[in-house]
Amino acid sequence: MASSDLESLSEFIDSLREVEILLAIAPLQRLGEGGAAAQAHDRELVNAVTRSCTVMLVAHFEGFVKAALTELIDQICQAKPPTRRIPEALLELHTRGRIEEIFGTEGPDRIHKTRKLFSAYASLWDADRSINPQVISAKVLTRQFTNAKPEILQSVFAILDVEDVITKMDDHVNRAIAERGDEATRIMVAVKLTEIVNRRNKIAHGDRSEKPTPVEVQNYIVFLKDVADCLSGIVQGRILHCCSLV
């Protein structure tokens, strides 16, 4: 795997243009200009645009995370490294699913699935065997990522042996803020992620009281781009580790 950005990160950055184009539709609110009806229309348009932007932005970010995790599994399947290079929690996740399938069946089907568990999935636990692409799936991993809340990100990346991913994102995001010359501002990533996802959820479920401002949406764009950049680097590191043939 080259050291260039993940394809999923490039696609996410491209998708942000869609959000920014939509955000640009929101009219500037000039107090005192136009009649009451015109001002009310402008406020409604701003609210509609920023609410749509928030939903779209979080959807694009969650899509990025799933795509990045898929790139990791795809690279593992392509390189076929020895299983000792793969996080044990990821191996267990795949094996557990097969065990659950066995206990959900009866008769000949259970016998068949039990035989397959030992004939196909036992190789995942042989340290010197190459990974069999037929028994490892990106869907199994991405299914664990249900939304972009910090506790979900933490649990998913723990499967990949990434310790305290939230702290890593905190360091990266605040370093990026400092590099942009805003050293007085410090963001707690867990708090900000929870805020954004909660607002998206409320808007998506019809809560009309949620009205992000254009400035808030623009800040969310910058923040999630920084978070995505951090996660891209983490996934790249996992790819380099897992795909080593040593």
Side-chain angles (χ1 to χ4, degrees), residues 4-224:
S4 57
D5 289 339
L6 295 180
E7 183 179 340
S8 52
L9 179 63
S10 298
E11 291 176 353
F12 174 64
I13 292 173
D14 285 344
S15 74
L16 293 180
R17 292 179 59 244
E18 181 181 31
V19 182
E20 291 170 336
I21 290 170
L22 179 59
L23 186 60
I25 294 174
L28 294 175
Q29 290 188 292
R30 301 179 178 87
L31 296 178
E33 292 187 16
Q39 290 184 33
H41 175 270
D42 283 356
R43 283 194 297 271
E44 289 177 358
L45 179 55
V46 168
N47 291 337
V49 167
T50 58
R51 284 162 60 84
S52 299
C53 285
T54 302
V55 173
M56 184 184 296
L57 176 60
V58 177
H60 283 321
F61 176 73
E62 290 175 342
F64 153 73
V65 176
K66 288 189 175 186
L69 296 174
T70 298
E71 282 192 69
L72 167 62
I73 299 299
D74 287 348
Q75 289 293 325
I76 290 173
C77 290
Q78 181 178 329
K80 300 178 184 177
T83 60
R84 63 175 175 271
R85 304 298 302 182
I86 310 303
E88 289 189 342
L90 183 59
L91 300 178
E92 187 275 336
L93 180 65
H94 282 78
T95 309
R96 185 201 323 154
R98 306 292 75 77
I99 294 173
E100 290 171 349
E101 283 182 2
I102 291 171
F103 284 98
T105 57
E106 298 289 343
D109 197 29
R110 175 179 287 189
I111 293 171
H112 169 72
K113 290 182 182 296
T114 301
R115 183 183 296 115
K116 185 176 181 181
L117 174 67
F118 286 95
S119 64
Y121 289 87
S123 64
L124 290 177
W125 298 96
D126 184 341
D128 294 324
R129 289 280 293 274
S130 295
I131 280 291
N132 179 357
Q134 300 300 315
V135 297
I136 187 168
S137 166
K139 288 183 179 179
V140 173
L141 179 58
T142 58
R143 204 175 291 136
Q144 311 307 306
F145 179 70
T146 55
N147 62 65
K149 286 190 175 181
E151 60 269 23
I152 301 297
L153 281 166
Q154 185 90 339
S155 65
V156 169
F157 278 85
I159 295 171
L160 304 177
D161 284 350
V162 177
E163 296 184 5
D164 205 355
V165 70
I166 301 301
T167 297
K168 289 178 170 59
M169 290 191 294
D170 265 331
D171 292 343
H172 182 93
V173 168
N174 285 291
R175 185 165 58 250
I177 290 172
E179 289 173 356
R180 288 193 289 268
D182 192 7
E183 298 183 7
T185 301
R186 182 166 183 83
I187 290 178
M188 295 182 65
V189 168
V191 173
K192 184 61 71 173
L193 276 175
T194 300
E195 172 192 328
I196 297 172
V197 175
N198 282 345
R199 295 190 88 170
R200 184 277 305 272
N201 291 346
K202 289 179 181 179
I203 294 168
H205 287 92
D207 186 342
R208 297 180 62 83
S209 67
E210 283 295 335
K211 300 173 182 178
T213 68
V215 171
E216 285 177 323
V217 174
Q218 187 60 52
N219 288 340
Y220 290 163
I221 292 172
V222 174
F223 168 73
L224 288 178

